[in-house]
Coordinates of all heavy atoms in Angstrom, one line a residue:
S278 N -9.0 -5.2 -26.6 CA -7.5 -5.3 -26.6 C -7.0 -6.7 -26.6 O -7.7 -7.6 -26.2 CB -6.9 -4.6 -25.4 OG -7.3 -3.2 -25.4
I331 N -0.1 -14.1 -10.0 CA -0.7 -12.8 -9.5 C -0.7 -11.8 -10.6 O 0.2 -11.6 -11.4 CB 0.2 -12.4 -8.3 CG1 0.2 -13.4 -7.2 CG2 -0.2 -11.0 -7.8 CD1 1.3 -13.2 -6.1
V404 N 26.1 -12.4 6.0 CA 25.6 -11.0 6.0 C 26.3 -10.4 7.2 O 26.3 -10.9 8.3 CB 24.1 -11.0 6.2 CG1 23.6 -9.6 6.4 CG2 23.4 -11.7 5.1
N480 N 18.6 -2.9 -12.1 CA 17.2 -2.9 -12.2 C 16.5 -4.2 -12.2 O 15.4 -4.4 -11.7 CB 16.8 -2.0 -13.4 CG 17.1 -0.6 -13.2 OD1 16.6 0.1 -12.3 ND2 17.9 0.0 -14.1
E504 N 11.3 -18.0 -7.7 CA 11.3 -19.4 -7.3 C 11.8 -19.4 -5.8 O 12.7 -18.7 -5.4 CB 12.3 -20.2 -8.1 CG 12.3 -21.7 -7.8 CD 13.2 -22.5 -8.8 OE1 12.7 -22.9 -9.8 OE2 14.4 -22.6 -8.5
F523 N 4.9 -21.4 -1.6 CA 4.9 -21.6 -3.1 C 6.3 -21.8 -3.6 O 7.2 -21.0 -3.4 CB 4.2 -20.5 -3.8 CG 2.7 -20.4 -3.5 CD1 2.2 -19.3 -2.7 CD2 1.8 -21.3 -3.9 CE1 0.9 -19.3 -2.4 CE2 0.5 -21.2 -3.6 CZ 0.0 -20.2 -2.8
F566 N -18.4 -18.8 -11.2 CA -18.8 -18.3 -9.9 C -20.1 -19.0 -9.4 O -20.2 -19.4 -8.3 CB -19.2 -16.8 -10.0 CG -18.0 -15.9 -10.4 CD1 -17.6 -15.6 -11.7 CD2 -17.2 -15.4 -9.3 CE1 -16.5 -14.9 -12.0 CE2 -16.1 -14.6 -9.6 CZ -15.8 -14.3 -11.0
F584 N -7.7 7.3 3.2 CA -8.9 8.1 2.8 C -8.7 8.5 1.4 O -7.6 8.5 0.8 CB -9.1 9.3 3.7 CG -8.1 10.4 3.5 CD1 -8.2 11.4 2.6 CD2 -6.9 10.4 4.3 CE1 -7.3 12.4 2.4 CE2 -5.9 11.4 4.1 CZ -6.1 12.4 3.2
V601 N -15.8 28.4 1.9 CA -16.0 27.9 0.5 C -15.7 26.4 0.5 O -16.4 25.7 -0.2 CB -15.0 28.7 -0.4 CG1 -15.0 28.1 -1.8 CG2 -15.4 30.2 -0.5
R602 N -14.7 26.0 1.2 CA -14.3 24.5 1.1 C -15.4 23.7 1.8 O -15.8 22.7 1.3 CB -13.0 24.3 1.9 CG -11.8 25.1 1.2 CD -10.5 24.6 1.7 NE -10.3 24.7 3.2 CZ -9.8 25.8 3.8 NH1 -9.4 26.8 3.1 NH2 -9.6 25.8 5.1
S628 N -13.6 10.9 8.5 CA -12.3 11.1 9.3 C -11.2 10.8 8.3 O -11.3 10.1 7.3 CB -12.3 10.0 10.4 OG -11.0 10.0 11.0
Y630 N -8.6 9.3 9.4 CA -8.1 8.1 9.9 C -9.3 7.2 10.2 O -9.6 6.9 11.4 CB -7.3 8.3 11.1 CG -6.1 9.3 10.9 CD1 -6.3 10.7 11.1 CD2 -4.9 8.8 10.4 CE1 -5.3 11.6 10.8 CE2 -3.9 9.7 10.1 CZ -4.1 11.1 10.3 OH -3.1 12.0 10.0
N640 N -17.1 8.0 16.3 CA -16.4 9.1 15.6 C -16.9 10.4 16.0 O -18.1 10.7 15.8 CB -16.6 8.9 14.0 CG -15.8 9.9 13.2 OD1 -15.2 10.8 13.7 ND2 -15.8 9.7 11.9
Y690 N -18.5 10.9 -11.2 CA -18.7 11.4 -9.9 C -18.6 12.9 -9.9 O -19.4 13.7 -9.3 CB -17.7 10.8 -8.9 CG -17.8 9.3 -8.7 CD1 -16.9 8.5 -9.4 CD2 -18.8 8.8 -8.0 CE1 -17.0 7.1 -9.3 CE2 -19.0 7.4 -7.9 CZ -18.0 6.6 -8.5 OH -18.2 5.2 -8.4
E700 N -26.0 24.8 -10.3 CA -27.3 25.4 -9.8 C -27.1 26.6 -8.9 O -27.9 27.5 -8.7 CB -28.1 24.3 -9.0 CG -28.6 23.2 -9.9 CD -29.5 22.2 -9.1 OE1 -30.1 22.6 -8.1 OE2 -29.4 21.0 -9.5
V735 N -0.5 1.0 10.3 CA -1.0 0.7 11.6 C -0.6 1.7 12.6 O -1.4 2.1 13.5 CB -0.4 -0.7 12.0 CG1 -0.8 -1.1 13.4 CG2 -0.9 -1.8 11.0
L756 N -1.1 18.1 0.1 CA -1.6 18.7 -1.2 C -2.5 19.9 -1.0 O -2.3 20.9 -1.8 CB -2.5 17.6 -2.0 CG -1.8 16.4 -2.4 CD1 -2.7 15.6 -3.3 CD2 -0.4 16.7 -3.1
K770 N 4.5 17.3 19.3 CA 4.3 16.6 20.5 C 4.3 15.1 20.3 O 4.8 14.3 21.1 CB 3.0 17.1 21.2 CG 2.7 16.4 22.5 CD 1.4 16.9 23.1 CE 1.0 16.2 24.3 NZ -0.3 16.6 24.9
L777 N 1.8 4.2 22.6 CA 0.9 4.1 21.4 C -0.4 4.7 21.7 O -1.0 5.4 20.8 CB 0.8 2.7 21.0 CG -0.1 2.4 19.8 CD1 0.4 3.2 18.5 CD2 -0.2 0.9 19.4
T806 N -11.4 -6.2 2.2 CA -10.7 -6.5 1.0 C -11.5 -7.5 0.2 O -12.0 -8.5 0.7 CB -9.3 -7.2 1.3 OG1 -8.6 -6.3 2.1 CG2 -8.6 -7.5 0.0
S831 N 0.5 -14.7 -1.0 CA 1.8 -15.3 -1.5 C 2.7 -15.7 -0.4 O 3.6 -16.5 -0.6 CB 2.5 -14.3 -2.5 OG 2.8 -13.1 -1.9
K845 N -10.4 -29.3 -10.9 CA -10.3 -29.7 -12.3 C -11.4 -30.7 -12.7 O -11.9 -30.6 -13.8 CB -8.9 -30.4 -12.6 CG -7.7 -29.4 -12.5 CD -6.4 -30.1 -12.6 CE -5.2 -29.1 -12.6 NZ -3.9 -29.7 -12.6
K862 N -14.3 -12.6 8.9 CA -14.1 -11.5 9.8 C -13.1 -11.9 10.9 O -13.1 -13.0 11.4 CB -15.4 -11.0 10.4 CG -16.4 -10.4 9.4 CD -17.6 -9.8 10.1 CE -18.5 -9.2 9.1 NZ -19.7 -8.6 9.7

Side-chain angles (χ1 to χ4, degrees):
S278 299
I331 299 168
V404 178
N480 291 301
E504 185 175 271
F523 293 108
F566 297 91
F584 71 90
V601 172
R602 301 194 299 270
S628 167
Y630 304 92
N640 184 353
Y690 299 103
E700 290 182 34
V735 175
L756 298 189
K770 179 181 177 182
L777 178 59
T806 300
S831 58
K845 289 175 179 175
K862 294 186 177 181

